[in-house]
């Protein structure tokens, strides 16, 4: 009788462990279009260095930075002062798996800026994008 009870308990544990395994196997990719990405903004003397890097899951149709919007604080309101879009020089590439660049946007010493950066990747499964917002002071 003890052997049946022990065997029953072992089989129960094996079943529970087996059922939990798929829950633990989580994919680390951001999406079907974006494998890894990074964005940051570093104030420099007279400009903001907007750095971005995006890697697709393999060769993709197009990837890079979809847009950079730079807002300056004026009279307690954010005013758009500069825009860069995906077809501007250095913003994106076609038929590649990785694109990285640093785009320089004008800034003034002591002024507050809000920078909205959107990266993207596009392949046969569609298009995906990620956006981050940064608040910086010009140097």
């Amino acid at each position: 009788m003890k052997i049946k009870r022990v065997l029953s308990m072992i089989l129960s544990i094996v079943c529970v462990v087996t059922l939990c395994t798929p829950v633990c196997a989580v994919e680390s990719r951001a999406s079907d279009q974006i494998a890894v990405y990074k964005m940051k903004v570093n104030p420099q003397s007279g400009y903001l260095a907007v750095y971005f890097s995006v890697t697709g899951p393999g060769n993709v149709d197009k990837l890079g930075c979809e847009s950079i919007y730079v807002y300056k604080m004026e009279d307690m309101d954010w005013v758009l002062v500069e825009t860069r879009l995906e077809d501007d020089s250095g913003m994106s590439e076609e038929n590649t798996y990785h694109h990285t660049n640093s785009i320089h946007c004008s800034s003034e010493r002591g002024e507050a800026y809000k920078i909205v950066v959107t990266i993207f990747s596009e392949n046969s499964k569609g298009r995906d994008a990620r956006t981050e917002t940064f608040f910086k002071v010009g140097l």
Side-chain angles (χ1 to χ4, degrees):
M1 199 67 167
K2 280 187 172 184
I3 293 175
K4 285 185 178 182
R5 185 179 278 176
V6 171
L7 189 57
S8 170
M9 188 181 303
I10 290 173
L11 288 174
S12 296
I13 291 171
V14 169
C15 286
V16 168
V17 170
T18 303
L19 292 173
C20 289
T21 302
V23 174
C24 298
V26 177
E27 212 172 305
S28 62
R29 264 193 348 220
S31 72
D32 286 339
Q33 294 80 21
I34 299 172
V36 180
Y37 68 93
K38 183 174 184 174
M39 298 173 262
K40 66 181 179 179
V41 177
N42 293 324
Q44 303 294 323
S45 182
Y47 66 93
L48 302 167
V50 180
Y51 170 82
F52 61 89
S53 176
V54 59
T55 302
N59 255 20
V60 295
D61 298 334
K62 190 174 183 180
L63 83 165
C65 190
E66 182 177 279
S67 62
I68 300 172
Y69 294 105
V70 180
Y71 299 87
K72 182 178 171 183
M73 178 62 78
E74 291 184 6
D75 297 325
M76 302 301 289
D77 197 17
W78 292 113
V79 176
L80 182 65
V81 293
E82 191 167 347
T83 301
R84 302 285 177 95
L85 299 175
E86 70 182 74
D87 291 326
D88 293 345
S89 178
M91 291 285 283
S92 64
E93 283 188 66
E94 294 181 356
N95 195 27
T96 187
Y97 73 95
H98 177 77
H99 183 63
T100 186
N101 203 358
S102 182
I103 303 293
H104 295 177
C105 299
S106 300
S107 69
E108 297 175 29
R109 182 183 189 103
E111 297 293 331
Y113 292 91
K114 177 174 81 169
I115 306 95
V116 181
V117 182
T118 302
I119 57 93
F120 78 100
S121 179
E122 185 176 297
N123 64 12
S124 61
K125 295 180 181 179
R127 183 179 178 112
D128 195 11
R130 298 287 187 272
T131 301
E132 290 186 23
T133 302
F134 303 88
F135 295 90
K136 301 291 180 176
V137 174
L139 299 180

